């Protein structure tokens, strides 16, 4: 199994669920994480990543960490200073139309979105609300492009788009697609030589459907135009994703693998969860399992069954622990506080 991993956690793309998979694998195999100095869950995002943001990194005595997965704005030359040269680099992408709808709800408090009453209103005259010089403007346009380290307001000439895609291809071993999450996990398992249980997950940080709004064709078209660079990235890597499946796995075996993954997930849900799935934040009984609520989104969570044996309880708890709580527990484990 590969244990040196860089995951570029692109915002609002099922990346919290992927992070849970990495946290669990890292914890069970005693791996080290490249944590932000002072804990927290972002490597000084939205600033471009620097090795010195990582706790325990020292240029005089470079130490390599196994897993780098907290939110960052990608800068490969700096990332290479904190991980081994054999690390596997991967990320996950999402259709920019759904991504923008999600961002508008989740990042409602940002400069560009706070004054627009609806996504439609924002898109009817984006420059009335959007100012590229605002410190948080990246949430409102080409968010994936920004996270990969490129200029979200750059021109969209064919030449520039090609350069950007080539640069991403040169840096990353694998780009997953959140709309095909189960297929993505099968592909990840293959590339990392992991077993099935290592990539099983329950969806984390997902929104209650009451806060999701259906989009008209006109709106979808406007979102694509406004996020043209993101659209180019997504369309390209959605295509190469399937080419890779055809080349390395084949559709038939992929179907079997996905079936096995879903069956295992359903089995774990029956073992671990009260009811069959996620519940609204107000219905989560154990406050340590309540995810951070953000913007006007309602983020769902889980209730564990009572009376599980110790080992099963631990396994189940790891599967449903929200990102911030899990990150902070692993941070304390990696950097235990010395007694006074």
């Amino acid at each position: 199994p590969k244990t040196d991993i860089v995951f570029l956690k692109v915002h609002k793309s099922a990346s919290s669920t992927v992070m849970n998979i990495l946290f669990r694998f890292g914890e069970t195999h005693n791996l080290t994480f490249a944590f932000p100095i002072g804990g927290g869950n972002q490597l000084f995002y939205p600033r471009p990543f620097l090795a010195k943001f990582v706790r325990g990194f020292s240029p005089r005595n470079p130490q390599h960490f196994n897993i780098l997965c907290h939110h960052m704005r990608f800068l490969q030359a700096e990332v290479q200073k904190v991980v081994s040269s054999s690390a596997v680099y991967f990320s996950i992408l999402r259709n920019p139309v759904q991504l923008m709808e999600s961002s508008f709800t989740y990042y409602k408090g940002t400069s560009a979105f706070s004054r627009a009453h609806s996504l439609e209103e924002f898109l009817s005259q984006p420059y009335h609300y959007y100012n590229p010089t605002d410190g948080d403007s990246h949430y409102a346009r080409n968010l994936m492009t920004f996270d990969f380290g490129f200029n979200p307001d750059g021109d969209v000439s064919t030449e520039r788009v090609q350069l950007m895609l080539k640069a991403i291809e040169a840096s990353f071993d694998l780009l997953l697609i959140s709309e095909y999450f189960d297929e993505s996990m099968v592909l990840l398992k293959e590339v990392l030589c992991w077993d099935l249980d290592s990539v099983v997950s329950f969806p984390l940080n997902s929104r209650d459907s009451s806060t999701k709004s259906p989009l008209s064709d006109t709106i979808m078209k406007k979102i694509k135009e406004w996020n043209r660079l993101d659209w180019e990235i997504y369309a390209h890597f959605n295509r190469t994703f399937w080419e890779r499946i055809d080349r390395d796995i084949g559709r038939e075996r992929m179907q079997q693998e996905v079936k096995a993954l879903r069956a295992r997930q359903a089995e774990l849900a029956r073992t671990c969860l009260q009811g069959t799935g996620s519940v609204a934040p107000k219905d989560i009984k154990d406050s340590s399992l309540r995810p951070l609520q953000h913007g006007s989104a309602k983020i769902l969570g889980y209730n564990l069954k009572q009376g599980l044996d110790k080992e099963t309880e631990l396994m189940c708890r790891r599967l449903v622990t929200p990102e911030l709580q899990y990150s902070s527990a692993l941070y304390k484990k990696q950097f235990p506080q010395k007694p006074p």
Side-chain angles (χ1 to χ4, degrees):
K2 297 199 165 62
T3 52
D4 292 316
I5 294 157
V6 174
F7 171 53
L8 177 64
K9 187 175 187 289
V10 169
H11 287 77
K12 315 305 318 143
S13 304
S15 54
S16 294
T17 309
V18 176
M19 199 139 171
N20 176 271
I21 288 170
L22 296 173
F23 280 167
R24 281 172 14 228
F25 188 86
E27 184 177 19
T28 48
H29 293 80
N30 273 325
L31 303 178
T32 54
F33 289 88
F35 280 112
I37 286 175
N41 65 319
Q42 304 204 341
L43 287 151
F44 295 81
Y45 185 88
R47 288 167 62 187
F49 177 80
L50 295 173
K52 66 175 188 188
F53 295 162
V54 174
R55 173 155 183 191
F57 171 79
S58 138
R60 285 184 304 284
N61 178 16
Q63 176 203 349
H64 283 154
F65 298 86
N66 298 115
I67 299 177
L68 172 61
C69 62
H70 286 73
H71 270 310
M72 64 170 160
R73 188 170 185 213
F74 189 67
L75 183 57
Q76 190 167 12
E78 289 289 318
V79 167
Q80 284 168 335
K81 296 177 184 175
V82 298
V83 295
S84 106
S85 57
S86 61
V88 175
Y89 287 67
F90 81 100
S91 185
I92 188 164
L93 306 172
R94 184 182 186 186
N95 185 315
V97 174
Q98 277 70 47
L99 180 71
M100 178 140 200
E101 188 274 328
S102 177
S103 298
F104 186 80
T105 311
Y106 202 81
Y107 302 116
K108 191 69 186 81
T110 58
S111 327
F113 291 153
S114 59
R115 289 178 302 121
H117 293 107
S118 66
L119 187 50
E120 274 168 274
E121 190 181 305
F122 174 83
L123 291 161
S124 63
Q125 39 176 355
Y127 282 109
H128 177 68
Y129 302 102
Y130 174 81
N131 178 353
T133 61
D134 286 336
D136 56 5
S137 67
H138 55 281
Y139 290 117
R141 186 178 202 187
N142 290 315
L143 181 52
M144 294 193 286
T145 303
F146 182 86
D147 286 353
F148 276 96
F150 302 100
N151 175 8
D153 294 290
D155 81 272
V156 289
S157 65
T158 317
E159 193 183 0
R160 186 170 180 281
V161 166
Q162 284 311 311
L163 282 172
M164 181 173 73
L165 296 175
K166 279 198 171 68
I168 295 173
E169 268 173 350
S171 304
F172 287 83
D173 300 289
L174 183 62
L175 285 134
L176 304 173
I177 302 289
S178 64
E179 282 77 15
Y180 302 103
F181 192 79
D182 293 342
E183 290 85 351
S184 291
M185 291 307 100
V186 171
L187 204 49
L188 184 66
K189 168 174 92 74
E190 294 280 312
V191 169
L192 297 176
C193 307
W194 288 7
D195 61 10
L196 182 69
D197 270 19
S198 298
V199 297
V200 169
S201 62
F202 297 145
L204 293 174
N205 206 26
S206 51
R207 262 191 310 157
D208 180 9
S209 53
S210 69
T211 60
K212 293 180 184 172
S213 41
L215 303 169
S216 69
D217 292 350
T218 324
I219 290 283
M220 289 198 213
K221 204 172 150 212
K222 282 183 175 168
I223 292 178
K224 280 185 199 174
E225 281 165 16
W226 177 245
N227 297 284
R228 178 68 192 287
L229 292 170
D230 269 11
W231 183 256
E232 295 285 354
I233 291 176
Y234 178 78
H236 176 80
F237 289 108
N238 186 13
R239 195 175 64 249
T240 58
F241 175 78
W242 292 102
E243 285 168 3
R244 179 149 192 176
I245 287 173
D246 288 337
R247 190 188 72 214
D248 296 352
I249 298 179
R251 300 280 169 123
E252 202 173 321
R253 191 175 131 228
M254 177 52 93
Q255 273 178 326
Q256 292 162 351
E257 294 266 359
V258 165
K259 208 169 138 185
L261 181 68
R262 287 176 182 162
R264 181 64 179 132
Q265 208 155 302
E267 188 189 338
L268 284 168
R270 286 192 297 274
T271 304
C272 296
L273 304 178
Q274 283 181 30
T276 48
S278 50
V279 296
K282 65 174 178 20
D283 299 322
I284 300 169
K285 299 185 181 87
D286 179 344
S287 61
S288 71
L289 296 178
R290 194 173 291 137
L292 172 78
Q293 302 299 313
H294 206 292
S296 52
K298 277 199 193 95
I299 307 299
L300 304 170
Y302 297 92
N303 286 318
L304 289 180
K305 269 190 180 151
Q306 300 295 300
L308 298 169
D309 66 79
K310 232 175 167 158
E311 203 179 323
T312 311
E313 210 263 349
L314 178 64
M315 173 196 69
C316 293
R317 183 168 281 276
R318 283 174 173 164
L319 276 162
V320 300
T321 299
E323 180 188 325
L324 301 188
Q325 288 94 310
Y326 208 154
S327 183
S328 133
L330 290 173
Y331 181 82
K332 288 183 183 128
K333 198 171 162 183
Q334 192 167 312
F335 301 105
Q337 285 203 298
K338 296 178 181 67

